Amino acid sequence: MNNEQRLQLSQEAKMEMENLLEADETYEHEKEQEVMENEKKRKKNVEKTVNLGCNGCLRCLSLSLGSIWYKPCRETPVIPYPKKSSEPRSISSSSQSLSITFTSWFSLSPTTTFPSESSSPPPNRIPSPPPQPVWAVRRQHRNRTVLLRDRKPDLPVAPYEWATKQRATVHKLDYLLSRHISEISGEVQCKRCKRRFEIQYDLVEKFKEIGVFINQNESSMLDRAPSNWMSPNFPNCRYCRAEKSVTPWISEKKRSINWLFLFLGEMIGCCKLSQLKYFCKQNDELRTGAKDRVVYSTYIEMCKQLDPTGEFILSLINSVQEQP
């Protein structure tokens, strides 16, 4: 292709572009003129209706409300403002048998008080029930299928009469009291004289102390065991009279640990972290984190096993509140 042909093609393209721009300008100009003519016609029609005096016809009102500078006819009667009334008004149309009722907002005086602003409570208010213990509303952290896959099989024989065949699980409080099991015993050992003996705890009294303590201090614990659970106060030795030298004897076999005895004596903090994780694994509890978190989860799970619904602790709290 020669240079002359290229110049000719470029000139033709420029001519086409100029023609297109001129066509667009003429189209926009014609459009503006058409809009202005329509507006002039509309103003003329409005002036005619105003001069004729239509006595408030719908056409005049619609035209007068069409723009901010239009004014209604002089002979149009002034529509009065609706009066204050508490009765519902209805709007009905001739074409359709439809009625819409509404209450006028003008009936509300400035001195009207709403229920939320009243100072005195309603007379028939039902008192809210006391909050449930934390173990009664505590959710499960893991899926049931994962739990059954990780859990070990049940034991052939329960290690204690208050325990079940399922590992790291005890019977409910109602079941134990129906079988006249009111005292829980366990082995302890003195650090000084190395003698081993048994001590007993009252089931109802000790569970009452722990349950009420958890219910009262739940908000301050923040899912962590307090200091008295992590380093418990040990009892004195009955043989050598050494103070705070008796520690629980914990079996090396995790399936034989006396969890209920440790719970009532508030000595679960003496267990190793691996033993606590074993308990939480068998009971679908969170077993990660620091030791104080795992100890807290163990105490909550023991309360859940003894009193799943929290009715026992709630009855104790209500009886204390009813006392003068």
Side-chain angles (χ1 to χ4, degrees):
M1 185 180 291
N2 299 330
N3 292 332
E4 295 179 355
Q5 294 178 354
R6 290 179 181 175
L7 289 172
Q8 186 178 359
L9 290 174
S10 62
Q11 290 177 358
E12 291 178 357
K14 286 181 181 180
M15 291 292 291
E16 290 179 359
M17 289 294 294
E18 290 176 357
N19 294 332
L20 289 173
L21 290 173
E22 289 178 359
D24 289 340
E25 289 178 358
T26 53
Y27 177 77
E28 290 178 358
H29 184 67
E30 291 175 357
K31 194 82 172 178
E32 289 178 358
Q33 287 183 351
E34 186 180 354
V35 171
M36 291 176 67
E37 289 177 359
N38 292 335
E39 188 69 19
K40 288 179 181 179
K41 290 180 181 180
R42 186 179 179 185
K43 288 182 180 180
K44 289 180 181 180
N45 293 331
V46 171
E47 290 176 358
K48 288 180 182 180
T49 54
V50 170
N51 294 328
L52 289 173
C54 58
N55 295 325
C57 64
L58 294 176
R59 181 183 177 185
C60 179
L61 290 173
S62 62
L63 289 171
S64 64
L65 296 174
S67 180
I68 57 175
W69 59 79
Y70 294 151
K71 297 181 180 180
C73 299
R74 295 180 180 178
E75 298 181 2
T76 303
V78 179
I79 301 173
Y81 199 71
K83 297 181 180 180
K84 298 180 180 180
S85 62
S86 59
E87 298 179 356
R89 297 187 296 176
S90 63
I91 302 172
S92 59
S93 61
S94 58
S95 60
Q96 297 179 358
S97 59
L98 177 64
S99 63
I100 305 171
T101 60
F102 61 93
T103 304
S104 177
W105 284 96
F106 303 104
S107 61
L108 297 176
S109 60
T111 58
T112 304
T113 58
F114 294 92
S116 60
E117 298 177 359
S118 60
S119 58
S120 60
N124 296 328
R125 176 175 290 179
I126 301 174
S128 59
Q132 291 184 339
V134 60
W135 62 85
V137 295
R138 191 178 175 89
R139 66 180 180 88
Q140 298 292 334
H141 293 282
R142 300 173 60 195
N143 194 359
R144 185 71 180 173
T145 56
V146 178
L147 170 65
L148 295 175
R149 184 182 61 195
D150 294 347
R151 180 183 290 174
K152 292 185 178 181
D154 295 342
L155 300 173
V157 181
Y160 305 98
E161 57 180 344
W162 48 82
T164 63
K165 292 183 180 181
Q166 184 179 338
R167 299 169 186 263
T169 309
V170 298
H171 288 288
K172 296 181 181 179
L173 184 64
D174 297 338
Y175 176 85
L176 296 177
L177 295 178
S178 64
R179 296 297 181 94
H180 304 286
I181 302 174
S182 58
E183 292 184 352
I184 307 300
S185 60
E187 287 187 329
V188 293
Q189 187 176 13
C190 179
K191 295 180 182 179
R192 184 177 178 182
C193 62
K194 304 299 181 181
R195 299 189 67 171
R196 189 184 299 177
F197 54 93
E198 286 189 356
I199 59 175
Q200 296 178 347
Y201 291 115
D202 187 86
L203 175 61
V204 177
E205 291 297 327
K206 295 297 291 184
F207 179 58
K208 174 183 174 182
E209 293 177 7
I210 298 171
V212 172
F213 175 79
I214 293 174
N215 195 32
Q216 292 177 353
N217 301 282
E218 173 197 354
S219 58
S220 61
M221 285 193 286
L222 302 175
D223 292 349
R224 291 180 181 271
S227 58
N228 59 334
W229 287 356
M230 296 301 297
S231 55
N233 294 323
F234 299 114
N236 301 332
C237 181
R238 66 176 63 171
Y239 295 103
C240 64
R241 307 297 179 182
E243 295 182 357
K244 300 181 181 180
S245 62
V246 175
T247 58
W249 183 82
I250 302 174
S251 175
E252 294 183 357
K253 294 184 178 180
K254 299 174 184 177
R255 61 185 179 184
S256 301
I257 296 175
N258 194 351
W259 293 105
L260 184 56
F261 173 75
L262 297 175
F263 168 74
L264 297 177
E266 300 183 29
M267 294 182 288
I268 292 179
C270 299
C271 296
K272 299 177 182 179
L273 187 59
S274 59
Q275 296 169 340
L276 296 172
K277 288 183 177 181
Y278 169 83
F279 177 89
C280 294
K281 176 183 176 181
Q282 301 302 320
N283 290 280
D284 191 21
E285 283 291 334
L286 199 64
R287 59 180 187 270
T288 57
K291 185 178 179 180
D292 54 355
R293 290 189 180 275
V294 185
V295 170
Y296 176 84
S297 300
T298 306
Y299 273 91
I300 296 299
E301 179 60 31
M302 288 299 300
C303 292
K304 190 191 300 183
Q305 291 181 13
L306 290 172
D307 189 21
T309 59
E311 295 179 357
F312 178 74
I313 297 300
L314 284 178
S315 62
L316 291 177
I317 295 172
N318 294 333
S319 62
V320 171
Q321 291 178 353
E322 291 176 358
Q323 292 179 1

